[in-house]
Amino acid sequence: MELSLRSRLRAGDQSAFGELFDDHAQAVYGYAVRTLGDWAAAEDAVSLTFLEAWRLRAALHEDGESVRPWLFGIATNVLRNTARAARRHRAALARLPARDVVPDFADELVGRLDDSARLAAARRALARLRRGEREVFHLCVWVGLDYVSAAQALGVPVGTVRSRLSRARTRLRSLAAEELMEPGPGAGQVGDDRIEAVRSNQGKNR
């Protein structure tokens, strides 16, 4: 009888992990980029998620259907740690002497990127929620997990997922509108990679 994907993963079957990556890497990346607001950091988070999945493969239960809740539970922990490290990094940078910034057309270009502005505003609004509400919103709305799968990923009862999601949606309606009208100091952060890319191209063309 052919072994299930769960059994193959638990046994360390590399082809099974290839299937896992092919089936879920894009969804994990979307979850990460919306959570972190940084494309490069999201790519790192995807790598860390699948490395952790390999390391924790023995903890995957034999019983069950989709491995998606297990994988996104790992991704959630990776993103918590990544966000914590990013906060420490920003705090360290804030203690450094301020540098004069010479504006160029890249700043104006990034200012016109509506997708980045909206993502940044959404992230600022989400940041004002409690962590539990924020994670439930990410998994149920952005990732598309159902209540049961999100509960499995977070290790909480299904009723907790329902109540947290309801509170999150109610609060986000007003918070998102506020953030879109009054962009916060981190509004340009999502476009940092694009700024650097444009500046890099400027340097090459000189």
Side-chain angles (χ1 to χ4, degrees):
M1 187 176 76
E2 184 179 354
L3 292 175
S4 68
L5 179 61
R6 285 174 173 266
S7 297
R8 292 165 59 208
L9 289 172
R10 283 173 55 86
D13 183 335
Q14 293 187 6
S15 66
F17 267 83
E19 292 176 26
L20 183 74
F21 184 88
D22 291 343
D23 290 345
H24 300 291
Q26 193 59 43
V28 172
Y29 176 76
Y31 178 28
V33 78
R34 288 185 175 106
T35 302
L36 302 174
D38 183 295
W39 282 269
E43 290 175 356
D44 290 342
V46 172
S47 298
L48 288 171
T49 295
F50 283 93
L51 283 172
E52 278 294 282
W54 174 263
R55 189 178 69 84
L56 299 172
R57 61 188 184 277
L60 179 60
H61 296 305
E62 287 281 4
D63 299 328
E65 296 180 3
S66 174
V67 298
R68 192 175 171 92
W70 172 75
L71 181 64
F72 276 91
I74 293 173
T76 298
N77 287 329
V78 166
L79 292 173
R80 286 174 186 168
N81 294 334
T82 301
R84 191 178 302 118
R87 286 195 297 270
R88 288 198 295 265
H89 180 66
R90 287 194 297 270
L93 290 179
R95 293 192 291 270
L96 296 176
R99 295 184 301 171
D100 292 333
V101 178
V102 179
D104 61 21
F105 83 95
D107 297 324
E108 180 182 352
L109 173 63
V110 172
R112 296 198 298 267
L113 296 174
D114 290 341
D115 57 337
S116 295
R118 290 180 182 278
L119 176 56
R123 288 187 63 249
R124 292 195 304 274
L126 282 165
R128 295 167 66 180
L129 300 179
R130 296 184 178 89
R131 189 180 76 178
E133 295 170 354
R134 186 167 60 248
E135 290 175 349
V136 164
F137 184 88
H138 284 163
L139 292 174
C140 291
V141 178
W142 280 352
V143 175
L145 295 188
D146 57 32
Y147 293 144
V148 173
S149 296
Q152 291 173 3
L154 296 173
V156 299
V158 174
T160 299
V161 170
R162 291 178 183 274
S163 60
R164 286 179 182 176
L165 183 59
S166 177
R167 288 196 302 269
R169 282 175 166 157
T170 299
R171 294 191 62 201
L172 277 174
R173 288 190 185 95
S174 58
L175 293 176
E178 290 176 14
E179 293 294 345
L180 280 170
M181 293 179 63
E182 300 180 8
Q189 181 181 354
V190 176
D192 285 350
D193 289 343
R194 300 190 187 187
I195 294 174
E196 292 304 320
V198 173
R199 287 176 178 162
S200 176
N201 288 333
Q202 282 184 297
K204 292 177 182 177
N205 293 330
R206 286 175 183 164

